[in-house]
Amino acid sequence: MLRETILIFLFLLYFGYADPAPKCTRSSSFVDFESDFIMVQHQLRGHIKIIDDCSFRVSQFDMLSGADVRWWGALDPDFDNLTTGFIVSDHKLNQTYANFTFVVQLMANITWDMIPVLAVWDVPTASDFGHVLIQNLTSTETPSPPGSDGEKKEKVSVHTEPTMFDNCKVLSKDFRVRWSLKPKEDMLEIGLEGATGVMNYMAFGWANPNATDAELMVGADVAVTGFKEDGLPFVDDFFITKYSECLKNSEDGSVEGVCPDSIYEGPNRVGLVNDTRLIYGHRSDGVSLVRYKRPLSPVDAKYDLRVNRLANMTVIWALGKIRAPDTVLPYYLPQNHGGLPFESFGHLVLNVSQHVNDCNGPLDAADKEDQDIIIADAKVPLVVSTGPALHYPDPPNPAKVIYINKKEAPVLRVERGVPVTFSIQSGHDVALYVTSDPIGGNATLRNLTEIIYAGGPEAHGVQASPTELIWAPDRNTPDQVYYHSVYEKKMGWRVEVVDGGLSDMYNNSVVLDDQQVTFFWTLSKDSISIAARGEKKSGYLAIGFGSGMVNSYTYVGWVDDNGVSRVNSYWIDGQDASGIHLTNENLTHVRCKTENEIITLEFTRPLVPSCSRGKRPECNDIIDPTTPLKVIWAMGSRWSNGHLSERNMHTLTSTRPILVQLMRGSAEAEQDLLPVLAVHGFMMFLAWGILLPGGILAARYLKHLKGGGWYKIHVYMQYSGLSIVFLALLFAVAELRGFHVSSTHVKFGIAAIFLACIQPVNAFFRPPRQSNGEQASYKRIIWEYLHIIVGRSAIAVGIAALFTGMKHLGDRYALENVHGLSWAMIIWFLVGALSIAYFEYREKQRVRDQIFGRGNWVLGNEEDDSMDLLSPPNTHATNKESQASARLEIQLEPLNR
């Protein structure tokens, strides 16, 4: 038995912990180099030591399995060098490794100076799981060992990574604590590692030594870690005074609960009592890791506990949802834990000086995907562009990658049988294609077995001239394909092909503001079915009908702590939680689901509530399909069915309403159209409020000007006004992308423009004016009547179009100054009407004076074009008769105007 044991030991020593092979020398300057692996993905962690010229030892090795993983050499850790690297060993890594130790032999033709970078490489996906930078970094010289030739040997430095610790303790199947004790520095470095959501916190700390088992949390000194919305890690020092979330007393400003140390001392002490210091943090493969340090001795005796490194002490821990900062409490604060399966907590006894390592292998998260998910829709094109690589999911990668709808390399989910439209605006050097190759960039036919499902070298475009690509995945399309660029490897990412979805259930859909929420609807005779899907992970999704969250009807969908899906309706009349009022709308077919923390809500409601208007707030929530519906959205980390507070306020929200045309199935941004429509309105006011009325007044009251001046003014002003009318019309039609006769304003506008266009045509066919002393022809009289009636009708209808346009603008954009502009326009036209009344009064006075011989007389028989239908014909005849009976050779004629 002893002999067999010795043989096994020798076997393991040779194959598992072998010393240098007999034919390997130790002449390389890299021998004895040691380094921790730089973790990139697949939870790779471990330590490497070069033991001779052709082998190295790997210890404490953890890694999640890949497809075809090999030891890989490269000249540099950048994208180009890594992707053009080479295999350096026949040893394969095609399994999950849990704290393994083994020796790897290099290939016969490989030497250490050929591989400045040694990587763990997945060949099919060209993925770097982790790597080591091999450098001959020397420090102090050491004496030569006995028996050597007297030369001094260089000491090779040891590189450490913040992912490696001396100890590890399992807290739960999804949560671990790692630590390294630094007694000389009076410090403890702690790493919290959890397979938890990106919006969750990880907490760990020491319980009050004097607390009972039932009150371990009260008086505890804990650190709360997590990741902010921008992906950066954080850690904060907390002190627990009560079993509750951190609450602030509105009267005296005091706080209690699970609160940061900083908040207890008031605003002047913020940051001065936070004794934790962030060292490192990352999130990979659905696992969060945050490393920080804290002193063993208390810095603040009031809120910090002493950690006796030699004693057994009780520690507590928790995982759960985190709330983002708000105006009341500007901290990342943990929510209540305890409602499984979403949160967990516990305690145990720990001695930090005792070596512990019961973490057997890497954490394997159920959801490894942290990328944004975009669910394609047949009616909404996907905008394809490029941008910097910030969080590319499959490193290494080039500096520029593909963005879809402004999201970096998202997971694209499509439905079989539903066409997907790409609007390609990524530049002429990035041609999009959908492929079976996970790497892409196959312009050189690198992968001859590649299957191309859509796109190719011709699928490129720019923002000014995008190229449209339509792809309809069918039932033969695999469940997973990839979108990439034809000319560059690894610019895109994964496409999930699924069966059915919201696009098949609803007739219309649009993407709301900021492309974070997709809005679906189907209209029926008396009701509307609505669905909304967030494109970003969140705790709840809210959509509202209104120009802003205040004074809006809002619908919130979430999954509560018990896993129950809920959709509630609210009336919001304030900016804080007290302004959110639960309503009793008649919602049917209500559904809410969350998939990978992406929330989708659905409901059906009547277009007109059954209750009387004004009875309750929801009774006024009427949806008119012929009027654009203003839709806004918000997302947050947590919602509750009961009492709402500041913790329910949103962390993401739309920046502007989107006007959804329910009947047309389209949408437009509110603020984008407003400036153009304002110019349209000003030009129409200039035409119908100044120029065209001014031309009519010139023809009425300026005929006393010599040389036909009134006629020139009349013609110039009329044609100028008509030109401005057509120019303003083109502005509106171009911006609204069509000519839609739907509103009262448009109908009045069309009528006014039609009447205005009759006038130049009427003027072209004007009958000749009668000679002096002749009776006006019948055609001339009809023409004058028609010209006057049509002109004045056009002005009246144009003014009506101006006022209905102001009302339409107010209804569409809820502008606060529309009411004031309407009154200003009313005052303008009232002043004009009073001026006309005054001129008419003066005109009547002048005519009466002329009849009684008190007019001004001039020599000559000057042509008087003022004799029209505006002057009484009997007066004109009387004047002519008096002129005919006069026995003067030079006639005297009154200057009428």
Side-chain angles (χ1 to χ4, degrees):
M1 182 67 181
L2 178 61
R3 181 181 178 183
E4 294 175 354
T5 304
I6 294 173
L7 289 175
I8 293 174
F9 174 79
L10 292 175
F11 179 84
L12 292 175
L13 184 64
Y14 182 82
F15 290 100
Y17 302 88
D19 283 331
K23 294 183 180 180
C24 286
T25 64
R26 291 173 54 86
S27 60
S28 172
S29 61
F30 296 100
V31 173
D32 292 332
F33 171 81
E34 295 183 56
S35 175
D36 294 335
F37 279 94
I38 299 173
M39 182 191 296
V40 179
Q41 52 183 329
H42 277 245
Q43 294 301 296
L44 185 140
R45 174 186 277 115
H47 186 82
I48 180 178
K49 180 178 181 180
I50 298 178
I51 56 180
D52 55 37
D53 294 345
C54 56
S55 63
F56 58 94
R57 177 182 292 115
V58 179
S59 57
Q60 299 175 271
F61 190 69
D62 289 349
M63 188 192 76
L64 296 174
S65 64
D68 182 12
V69 187
R70 307 294 294 271
W71 293 104
W72 190 263
L75 298 178
D76 201 75
D78 62 73
F79 171 69
D80 291 332
N81 279 286
L82 275 175
T83 53
T84 57
F86 49 92
I87 296 173
V88 300
S89 173
D90 294 328
H91 186 274
K92 296 184 178 181
L93 299 165
N94 294 338
Q95 66 181 72
T96 294
Y97 289 83
N99 200 19
F100 275 36
T101 299
F102 51 88
V103 171
V104 179
Q105 298 291 328
L106 298 179
M107 290 180 174
N109 58 340
I110 301 295
T111 58
W112 288 116
D113 56 356
M114 298 171 59
I115 46 176
V117 179
L118 178 65
V120 178
W121 186 262
D122 188 80
V123 176
T125 60
S127 298
D128 179 19
F129 289 2
H131 58 264
V132 173
L133 304 179
I134 300 178
Q135 306 173 58
N136 186 16
L137 302 176
T138 61
S139 57
T140 58
E141 294 181 345
T142 58
S144 301
S148 66
D149 57 4
E151 295 181 357
K152 293 181 178 180
K153 177 70 176 177
E154 293 179 334
K155 180 182 178 182
V156 183
S157 298
V158 177
H159 174 75
T160 60
E161 278 291 317
T163 55
M164 297 293 291
F165 296 83
D166 297 335
N167 306 277
C168 183
K169 183 69 177 177
V170 174
L171 302 177
S172 73
K173 68 180 184 66
D174 294 326
F175 193 28
R176 297 172 176 179
V177 58
R178 299 178 183 268
W179 74 92
S180 296
L181 184 62
K182 308 288 184 182
K184 293 183 180 179
E185 304 172 18
D186 193 39
M187 281 287 176
L188 185 65
E189 292 191 2
I190 300 173
L192 300 184
E193 187 178 40
T196 185
V198 69
M199 299 179 62
N200 287 5
Y201 72 87
M202 301 181 295
F204 178 83
W206 276 260
N208 189 339
N210 301 322
T212 63
D213 290 344
E215 297 288 339
L216 286 176
M217 282 184 59
V218 177
D221 178 18
V222 300
V224 175
T225 68
F227 290 85
K228 303 176 183 179
E229 287 94 337
D230 57 7
L232 295 177
F234 73 90
V235 61
D236 210 345
D237 194 8
F238 275 62
F239 186 75
I240 302 175
T241 59
K242 185 180 179 181
Y243 277 89
S244 72
E245 298 177 29
C246 189
L247 301 174
K248 188 173 184 179
N249 192 317
S250 58
E251 296 180 359
D252 58 8
S254 62
V255 293
E256 61 179 1
V258 183
C259 300
D261 291 4
S262 303
I263 202 173
Y264 291 109
E265 294 297 317
N268 295 330
R269 292 277 289 167
V270 170
L272 300 181
V273 292
N274 181 14
D275 301 321
T276 58
R277 294 293 180 266
L278 178 68
I279 298 176
Y280 174 79
H282 77 215
R283 182 166 174 85
S284 177
D285 310 301
V287 176
S288 298
L289 172 65
V290 178
R291 181 169 186 157
Y292 64 95
K293 62 182 179 179
R294 59 152 292 165
L296 296 173
S297 303
V299 176
D300 191 327
K302 190 173 182 180
Y303 303 112
D304 294 332
L305 297 177
R306 177 180 181 81
V307 179
N308 188 342
R309 63 185 179 87
L310 300 176
N312 294 331
M313 300 185 68
T314 301
V315 295
I316 62 175
W317 60 271
L319 294 172
K321 295 287 185 180
I322 196 165
R323 175 165 64 90
D326 54 38
T327 55
V328 179
L329 294 172
Y331 300 92
Y332 286 89
L333 300 175
Q335 306 291 313
N336 287 333
H337 55 69
L340 295 175
F342 300 103
E343 293 89 13
S344 59
F345 62 97
H347 68 276
L348 71 154
V349 175
L350 189 68
N351 189 324
V352 295
S353 62
Q354 294 180 354
H355 177 68
V356 178
N357 188 7
D358 59 1
C359 302
N360 186 25
L363 277 177
D364 191 0
D367 179 14
K368 298 180 177 62
E369 189 67 70
D370 278 337
Q371 288 299 108
D372 290 322
I373 298 177
I374 290 183
I375 302 176
D377 180 77
K379 301 176 180 62
V380 181
L382 300 174
V383 179
V384 179
S385 58
T386 56
L390 303 176
H391 304 287
Y392 188 77
D394 188 32
N397 50 270
K400 183 175 72 171
V401 297
I402 291 176
Y403 280 59
I404 296 182
N405 287 355
K406 300 181 181 180
K407 294 181 176 63
E408 178 190 357
V411 175
L412 179 59
R413 185 173 297 164
V414 300
E415 301 170 4
R416 291 183 175 89
V418 178
V420 180
T421 302
F422 298 92
S423 177
I424 305 173
Q425 308 172 14
S426 51
H428 296 303
D429 60 336
V430 178
L432 183 74
Y433 77 130
V434 180
T435 171
S436 61
D437 186 359
I439 302 175
N442 201 18
T444 58
L445 299 179
R446 168 186 51 80
N447 182 2
L448 296 178
T449 62
E450 176 186 37
I451 300 175
I452 298 177
Y453 299 96
E458 71 287 349
H460 59 84
V462 295
Q463 187 174 5
S465 179
T467 296
E468 186 176 88
L469 172 64
I470 300 177
W471 170 47
D474 55 31
R475 65 193 189 103
N476 296 320
T477 306
D479 292 341
Q480 181 168 299
V481 292
Y482 303 87
Y483 63 90
H484 281 295
S485 169
V486 174
Y487 304 116
E488 180 72 76
K489 294 184 287 186
K490 300 189 72 172
M491 289 190 68
W493 188 224
R494 184 159 50 89
V495 181
E496 296 179 353
V497 185
V498 299
D499 295 322
L502 293 176
S503 301
D504 299 326
M505 299 167 59
Y506 294 88
N507 294 339
N508 307 279
S509 65
V510 295
V511 178
L512 301 182
D513 183 50
D514 293 332
Q515 299 179 332
Q516 301 285 354
V517 176
T518 306
F519 183 75
F520 303 81
W521 75 95
T522 297
L523 278 173
S524 58
K525 182 179 180 182
D526 300 316
S527 64
I528 180 172
S529 297
I530 292 174
R533 180 181 61 220
E535 307 295 350
K536 192 177 184 66
K537 295 182 178 182
S538 64
Y540 71 83
L541 171 63
I543 58 168
F545 301 153
S547 297
M549 279 298 174
V550 178
N551 296 325
S552 70
Y553 299 95
T554 303
Y555 305 86
V556 181
W558 79 103
V559 178
D560 65 18
D561 293 343
N562 298 318
V564 178
S565 300
R566 297 185 180 275
V567 176
N568 282 357
S569 60
Y570 300 87
W571 162 249
I572 302 179
D573 59 9
Q575 296 185 349
D576 54 17
S578 62
I580 305 176
H581 309 286
L582 182 66
T583 62
N584 296 316
E585 283 200 47
N586 183 24
L587 304 183
T588 58
H589 302 93
V590 176
R591 290 194 299 177
C592 181
K593 66 178 181 179
T594 177
E595 184 177 359
N596 295 329
E597 298 184 57
I598 299 295
I599 294 180
T600 301
L601 63 90
E602 299 177 70
F603 61 90
T604 299
R605 52 149 291 177
L607 295 174
V608 180
S610 57
C611 55
S612 302
R613 296 190 64 177
K615 190 175 181 180
R616 297 190 306 271
E618 62 267 27
C619 300
N620 300 320
D621 186 13
I622 299 174
I623 295 180
D624 182 5
T626 63
T627 302
L629 181 66
K630 301 174 185 177
V631 183
I632 53 179
W633 62 266
M635 297 183 194
S637 59
R638 184 181 177 88
W639 198 261
S640 56
N641 196 39
H643 178 70
L644 300 175
S645 64
E646 298 297 328
R647 71 175 63 94
N648 302 117
M649 302 305 287
H650 54 70
T651 56
L652 291 172
T653 184
S654 54
T655 57
R656 58 186 174 180
I658 292 294
L659 301 176
V660 178
Q661 306 284 350
L662 296 176
M663 298 189 71
R664 294 210 309 261
S666 62
E668 56 196 22
E670 180 180 40
Q671 298 300 326
D672 290 342
L673 295 177
L674 182 56
V676 178
L677 295 184
V679 172
H680 165 83
F682 174 77
M683 295 176 70
M684 285 298 187
F685 173 77
L686 181 64
W688 294 105
I690 299 177
L691 294 177
L692 294 175
I696 293 178
L697 295 179
R700 175 65 174 163
Y701 301 112
L702 297 181
K703 288 186 177 178
H704 62 277
L705 298 178
K706 294 183 179 181
W710 70 270
Y711 181 77
K712 295 179 181 178
I713 295 173
H714 173 73
V715 171
Y716 289 159
M717 294 187 75
Q718 297 302 94
Y719 279 109
S720 298
L722 196 58
S723 300
I724 292 177
V725 165
F726 279 108
L727 187 60
L729 177 64
L730 291 177
F731 267 87
V733 171
E735 193 63 23
L736 294 172
R737 297 180 181 86
F739 196 80
H740 309 288
V741 185
S742 56
S743 65
T744 305
H745 167 65
V746 176
K747 294 174 183 178
F748 271 113
I750 293 174
I753 294 174
F754 174 77
L755 292 173
C757 291
I758 292 178
Q759 292 297 76
V761 177
N762 189 13
F764 179 80
F765 293 102
R766 177 180 58 181
R769 186 176 57 247
Q770 70 277 9
S771 302
N772 289 333
E774 294 182 0
Q775 184 72 24
S777 66
Y778 183 74
K779 291 183 178 179
R780 177 73 182 193
I781 294 174
I782 293 177
W783 178 86
E784 289 189 2
Y785 269 112
L786 182 64
H787 193 66
I788 293 171
I789 292 172
V790 172
R792 295 179 180 179
S793 300
I795 293 298
V797 177
I799 293 174
L802 289 178
F803 282 102
T804 56
M806 292 299 295
K807 183 179 183 303
H808 184 67
L809 193 67
D811 293 340
R812 185 169 193 151
Y813 296 103
L815 298 180
E816 298 177 356
N817 57 349
V818 166
H819 190 66
L821 291 175
S822 299
W823 274 107
M825 207 157 53
I826 291 173
I827 293 173
W828 170 263
F829 286 115
L830 282 176
V831 171
L834 292 174
S835 301
I836 292 174
Y838 173 74
F839 291 148
E840 284 296 316
Y841 172 76
R842 292 293 304 272
E843 182 70 9
K844 296 298 182 184
Q845 288 290 102
R846 187 193 62 76
V847 172
R848 187 172 66 250
D849 292 343
Q850 177 181 343
I851 293 174
F852 291 101
R854 293 192 298 273
N856 296 323
W857 295 82
V858 295
L859 294 174
N861 188 20
E862 187 174 346
E863 180 178 276
D864 186 6
D865 198 37
S866 64
M867 297 305 170
D868 55 15
L869 294 176
L870 301 178
S871 301
N874 56 348
T875 304
H876 180 62
T878 303
N879 291 338
K880 291 297 181 179
E881 291 174 2
S882 64
Q883 294 172 11
S885 61
R887 290 179 294 176
L888 295 175
E889 291 184 358
I890 301 177
Q891 295 181 346
L892 298 178
E893 184 178 3
L895 180 63
N896 292 335
R897 296 170 194 161

